[in-house]
Amino acid sequence: MDKHILYSKASAAIISVALTITLLIGWFPTLCIGWIPIMCYAENAPEPDVPLITYGEFPFTAVYEVDGKEYTIEDIAICEYAGSRWNEGDGKKHRIWEMRFESGPYIALCPIDPSEFVGADEAYVALNVGYSAGQLMGDSESNKYKDAFLYLQLGHNGYGSRSSEEIYESYGAKLISFELHAQPIENTFVPAE
C-alpha cells in the first residue's frame, strides 16, 4: 500500500478527532453561558403576591358507578399554598398550590389493568373534583375547571387521556353526581416581602 495513502488516512483521522474535540470544548461553554443570564433572571424575578389564606379544606360527596354498581364517596380536598415557581414560558414567577385528599394523594375509584399503558406499574380510574387547588383558594390566576370528571391515574405521577365516554366503555366507570359542600375561598393577596 502506498505510504501517502496511509499518511493521508491517519492525518484525516487526527484532524477529525481534533475538530470534534475543538467543537465540543468550544460549543459546550457557549451553550452553558447562554443559560446563565436566564437562570439569574429566574432567581431574581419578582415574587407574585402572596395569599393571606394559605390552607383550606373542602368536603365533597361523589356518587359514581362501576360495572353497574353505585358507590358513594365522601372525602375532603385539602389545598395549600406551596410558594412560587418560575415559568420559562412567560418569564414570570407564579403561585403554586397543592391539592391532596384526606384519603390520600388521589381518589382511586377502581383499579384497571396497567399493562395497556407503557411503563405503568399500576393504574386506576380516578376522580378529579372539578376545581384546581388555586381556584378553590380564590386565586384568579389559577387554572379553571368547570366540572368534576374521571381520568386515568397511572402510577403515582402519570395520567391517561380518555374521555368520560371512553372510560365508561372501556372500564365501566362513570360519575353520576358530585357536590362540593364548601364554597371556594375569597382570598386576599398582598405583595411579597
Side-chain angles (χ1 to χ4, degrees):
M1 194 177 244
D2 190 4
K3 280 185 174 180
H4 296 293
I5 294 174
L6 287 176
Y7 286 131
S8 65
K9 285 184 179 180
S11 297
I14 291 170
I15 291 171
S16 174
V17 168
L19 280 173
T20 302
I21 291 171
T22 302
L23 289 174
L24 287 176
I25 291 173
W27 282 7
F28 184 73
T30 303
L31 291 174
C32 292
I33 289 171
W35 279 99
I36 290 172
I38 294 170
M39 298 313 291
C40 287
Y41 176 76
E43 189 64 34
N44 296 312
E47 289 291 327
D49 292 347
V50 296
L52 290 180
I53 303 171
T54 60
Y55 178 89
E57 293 186 1
F58 303 89
F60 63 88
T61 302
V63 179
Y64 64 99
E65 177 184 306
V66 176
D67 295 328
K69 189 172 179 185
E70 198 171 287
Y71 300 90
T72 300
I73 186 168
E74 293 183 354
D75 207 338
I76 297 174
I78 300 168
C79 302
E80 284 188 272
Y81 177 65
S84 66
R85 184 178 310 135
W86 184 67
N87 181 328
E88 61 277 354
D90 64 5
K92 298 177 184 175
K93 285 188 178 178
H94 296 274
R95 288 181 288 272
I96 303 300
W97 297 92
E98 294 177 348
M99 181 188 296
R100 65 185 187 284
F101 301 95
E102 190 173 61
S103 62
Y106 52 86
I107 301 172
L109 304 181
C110 65
I112 56 177
D113 181 14
S115 65
E116 66 180 281
F117 306 101
V118 176
D121 56 344
E122 56 184 7
Y124 304 92
V125 172
L127 173 70
N128 181 299
V129 298
Y131 293 88
S132 68
Q135 191 177 359
L136 285 171
M137 295 300 293
D139 189 345
S140 62
E141 295 180 8
S142 284
N143 293 335
K144 303 281 187 280
Y145 298 118
K146 191 173 179 179
D147 297 309
F149 59 91
L150 300 183
Y151 69 97
L152 303 180
Q153 177 73 41
L154 310 175
H156 290 289
N157 297 318
Y159 303 96
S161 178
R162 301 273 170 90
S163 70
S164 295
E165 293 79 21
E166 290 173 313
I167 289 175
Y168 184 67
E169 289 171 9
S170 299
Y171 311 111
K174 72 176 178 179
L175 183 62
I176 297 170
S177 67
F178 177 85
E179 184 179 355
L180 187 65
H181 301 297
Q183 292 298 312
I185 289 173
E186 290 186 26
N187 215 337
T188 302
F189 297 86
V190 295
E193 294 180 8

